Amino acid sequence: MTATAVAHPNIALVKYWGKADASLALPATGSVSMGLDVFPTTTSVTVGGSAEDTLTLNGSVSTDGALVRVTQFLDLVRELAGSSARASVVTENTVPTGAGLASSASGFAALATAAAAAYGLDLSARDLSRLARRGSGSATRSIPGGVAVWHAGDDEGSYAEPIPAPPMAMVVVTIDAGPKAIGSREAMRRTIATSPFYPAWVTSTTETVGDMLTACAAGDFARIGELTESNALRMHATIEGAFPPIRYLNARSVAVFDAVAELRAAGLPAYATADAGPNVVVLTTPEDRAAVATALTGFGDVIESGTGPGAYLLGSEVPATQDPEAPAPGVVRPEESAE
Ligand code: DP6
């Protein structure tokens, strides 16, 4: 059985930075994001036919940490499906991998969607989001797409769902598409263990999630923007407080934040944010995205994005010799399986 799924990255307006439970991938706080309509990941999962899981990433066979992470994720899917069959995973990622542009979000959202279908699981949107969470935290929010909140909570309660929000757009300013010096997973651990600012980050972000939900429901774009920029700078300050320190923003990133402040002073609605890397993403309105993109050309590669869709299946194929109605061997429905 082969299933193919597409998912897009998301950019957090209120960031997820820190886990309350690493084994269940439970975040220390809630977070809010906007899904992009650029940089899709397309992933096919074929169950059976090989003795080991295999991963082909952008045409190259992977045998390193990426394969280990995919295998660990497929183990969770197999447990839910009551299957021991290995799978081959073929993924095409159009976002620069590891550059702090959330390639793991679209990657694990596409993998969760394709793998759940290929292993015969029929999961609700909520359960698919919970499953994606186990691959990478930010992937939780790429299942619903659009503007979404990811709830902190226990295993049952920590999922993402869409929320009402005004029309928004983003301009991605790619300063450096190379892999980052330190991955977000390790950097999160170090921040929790050593940054004296981390407890304040958890308290303030929990409050900001509530404020952001209020601003989104009210359609108050300026408030959404100022909360977004403030929360991003608070995250980077908290990370810089780690020991040894970690600094993701470079001089060119800071120059974009300054340029965005100038655009605002000139009357354009624009607010900057950045994830675990030097690239800057600017939140703006659909009407102003072209003007913002033009103004920021020269700082790096500039790409405009609207609000993107949730993860979706391209189509499930079963070999013609197999009865499509019959469950795949060893598959049990999720409600029958012990999680
Ligand atoms: C800065 O989702 O990559 O982009 O759960 O360890 O896989 P893991 O981390 P990941 O971290 C994303 C951090 C961030 C902020 C965000 O997207 O909310």
Side-chain angles (χ1 to χ4, degrees):
M1 157 83 90
T2 297
T4 301
V6 179
H8 289 75
N10 68 79
I11 300 292
L13 309 176
V14 182
K15 306 291 186 195
Y16 145 60
W17 194 261
K19 295 174 179 71
D21 182 324
S23 64
L24 287 171
L26 299 174
T29 71
S31 56
V32 178
S33 63
M34 183 187 123
L36 303 184
D37 64 9
V38 293
F39 305 134
T41 296
T42 305
T43 297
S44 295
V45 175
T46 302
V47 175
S50 58
E52 296 296 336
D53 293 327
T54 60
L55 170 66
T56 307
L57 180 58
N58 292 340
S60 306
V61 174
S62 171
T63 50
D64 59 2
L67 174 63
V68 173
R69 234 170 124 176
V70 164
T71 298
Q72 283 168 350
F73 183 78
L74 290 175
D75 285 342
L76 292 169
V77 178
R78 282 188 277 263
E79 196 183 319
L80 283 174
S83 167
S84 59
R86 304 284 128 179
S88 29
V89 176
V90 178
T91 184
E92 292 294 328
N93 219 349
T94 57
V95 63
T97 300
L101 280 174
S103 60
S104 66
S106 55
F108 278 99
L111 179 62
T113 306
Y119 277 93
L121 294 171
D122 185 17
L123 300 182
S124 64
R126 176 186 296 205
D127 285 343
L128 198 52
S129 168
R130 290 174 54 233
L131 176 62
R133 188 191 82 218
R134 305 290 293 273
S136 182
S138 50
T140 314
R141 300 181 309 234
S142 277
I143 296 296
V147 179
V149 60
W150 171 19
H151 303 287
D154 61 7
D155 181 34
E156 281 293 318
S158 186
Y159 60 92
E161 60 182 337
I163 56 169
M168 298 195 281
M170 284 183 166
V171 174
V172 180
V173 185
T174 304
I175 287 169
D176 181 356
K180 51 203 174 195
I182 171 165
S184 50
R185 196 154 274 194
E186 171 54 24
M188 266 182 212
R189 276 196 286 262
R190 193 189 298 172
T191 305
I192 295 172
T194 65
S195 177
F197 310 140
Y198 183 71
W201 160 256
V202 171
T203 313
S204 74
T205 299
T206 302
E207 215 172 276
T208 305
V209 170
D211 293 345
M212 183 62 85
L213 294 178
T214 305
C216 284
D220 187 344
F221 179 79
R223 178 77 175 144
I224 294 169
E226 69 188 16
L227 290 171
T228 296
E229 192 168 301
S230 151
N231 183 259
L233 291 173
R234 284 177 178 175
M235 181 186 78
H236 285 280
T238 307
I239 295 170
E240 287 174 19
F243 192 87
I246 301 164
R247 187 163 54 83
Y248 283 119
L249 301 180
N250 63 27
R252 292 167 67 202
S253 324
V254 175
V256 179
F257 273 75
D258 286 348
V260 167
E262 276 171 30
L263 291 181
R264 257 195 326 267
L268 272 183
Y271 299 86
T273 185
D275 287 333
N279 304 312
V280 179
V281 181
V282 182
L283 178 69
T284 185
T285 64
E287 302 79 59
D288 293 297
R289 63 187 246 188
V292 170
T294 304
L296 296 176
T297 305
F299 287 93
D301 277 354
V302 171
I303 290 166
E304 292 177 40
S305 174
T307 306
Y312 57 91
L313 275 176
L314 274 187
S316 278
E317 300 155 19
V318 285
T321 52
Q322 204 176 305
D323 174 7
E325 299 307 321
V331 168
V332 289
R333 309 316 285 174
E335 58 270 19
E336 294 166 25
S337 70
E339 203 180 320

